[in-house]
Amino acid sequence: QVQLVQSGAEVKKPGASVKVSCKASGYTFTSYGISWVRQAPGQGLEWMGWISAYNGNTNYAQKLQGRVTMTTDTSTSTAYMELRSLRSDDTAVYYCARGELLGDFDYWGQGTLVTVSS
Amino acid sequence: QSVLTQPPSVSGAPGQRVTISCTGSSSNIGAGYDVHWYQQLPGTAPKLLIYGNSNRPSGVPDRFSGSKSGTSASLAITGLQAEDEADYYCQSYDSSLSGPAVFGGGTQLTVL
């Protein structure tokens, strides 16, 4: 069965960076892309960006350009999302989700809470 | 402010039918891009409910259905059950700088 398992919760200070991992299993990793979606406390879903696990092509949300980097390691079927220059409003649950750029997200990770606080 | 507009909340009694609207524009739904729907139960990750406007993934009850017309889409839930109480989100593609993937603001469904 398809599974996306994310790394554990993080607490970071403003200005720091965080890197969240998403390990895939149960399917051919390079056959699908991975999107990252975040959800601030009590708020809705916000798409952050997408990476092709086939060739590493990326597409980031304009508001995060310059602060976010998405990568994959095909040898371990793991996707990564790094967010830099963290601010308090980056506090959110971060999800990885399987899917193509123009399509739906059919499987989701369990979420990783990132708290940014001084 | 979300690119796709959903009502903040809807409610219905067990057994009733409710609909949740998702209103977009000519740069997303109206441009012909597919709409997908997700259900998020409290404290859990979203789950794909409807894809490609009206298709249900395996395991999703046929009480859930989706439709799309013009610049809007709708999710209908018939035979409302207590376990349907959740947040529902629509998602599509947007060709403006807001995208490409965009979500609605979400609708909280309360089963009375």
Side-chain angles (χ1 to χ4, degrees):
Chain A
Q1 71 285 19
V2 175
Q3 279 193 304
L4 299 174
V5 178
Q6 299 182 222
S7 49
E10 303 261 14
V11 179
K12 296 292 184 180
K13 292 193 182 303
S17 298
V18 69
K19 192 170 186 176
V20 179
S21 68
C22 170
K23 183 171 177 58
S25 62
Y27 71 97
T28 301
F29 183 65
T30 51
S31 294
Y32 296 83
I34 294 284
S35 271
W36 290 87
V37 176
R38 68 180 180 178
Q39 186 171 36
Q43 302 300 308
L45 303 174
E46 179 188 13
W47 180 80
M48 300 177 64
W50 169 89
I51 182 167
S52 166
Y54 174 71
N55 58 18
N57 286 350
T58 55
N59 190 306
Y60 301 139
Q62 187 191 29
K63 69 175 285 188
L64 295 174
Q65 288 273 3
R67 285 207 302 139
V68 68
T69 300
M70 296 176 187
T71 57
T72 60
D73 181 345
T74 56
S75 69
T76 60
S77 299
T78 303
Y80 298 91
M81 186 283 300
E82 181 180 33
L83 190 59
R84 299 177 293 278
S85 302
L86 289 168
R87 309 186 291 245
S88 58
D89 62 356
D90 290 318
T91 293
V93 175
Y94 289 73
Y95 295 102
C96 61
R98 189 183 82 163
E100 297 312 322
L101 185 59
L102 303 186
D104 57 88
F105 308 134
D106 59 356
Y107 289 93
W108 294 65
Q110 83 276 18
T112 296
L113 175 62
V114 175
T115 303
V116 183
S117 174
S118 54
Chain B
Q1 200 79 345
S2 301
V3 172
L4 305 177
T5 301
Q6 298 180 232
S9 63
V10 298
S11 62
Q16 284 190 332
R17 178 181 187 270
V18 297
T19 62
I20 299 173
S21 61
C22 175
T23 303
S25 67
S26 58
S27 64
N28 42 68
I29 299 175
Y33 299 116
D34 284 343
V35 177
H36 319 292
W37 291 90
Y38 302 87
Q39 177 193 59
Q40 186 176 34
L41 298 170
T44 69
K47 167 192 167 185
L48 180 64
L49 199 63
I50 297 287
Y51 68 95
N53 306 314
S54 59
N55 302 291
R56 284 186 308 277
S58 173
V60 173
D62 59 7
R63 301 186 296 105
F64 295 90
S65 63
S67 63
K68 175 187 144 182
S69 178
T71 58
S72 295
S74 289
L75 172 71
I77 309 171
T78 59
L80 207 56
Q81 299 181 4
E83 62 256 36
D84 298 333
E85 191 160 285
D87 293 327
Y88 293 84
Y89 294 89
C90 61
Q91 178 241 321
S92 186
Y93 171 88
D94 191 283
S95 58
S96 73
L97 294 178
S98 302
V102 288
F103 286 96
T107 299
Q108 183 175 57
L109 168 63
T110 301
V111 180
L112 302 171

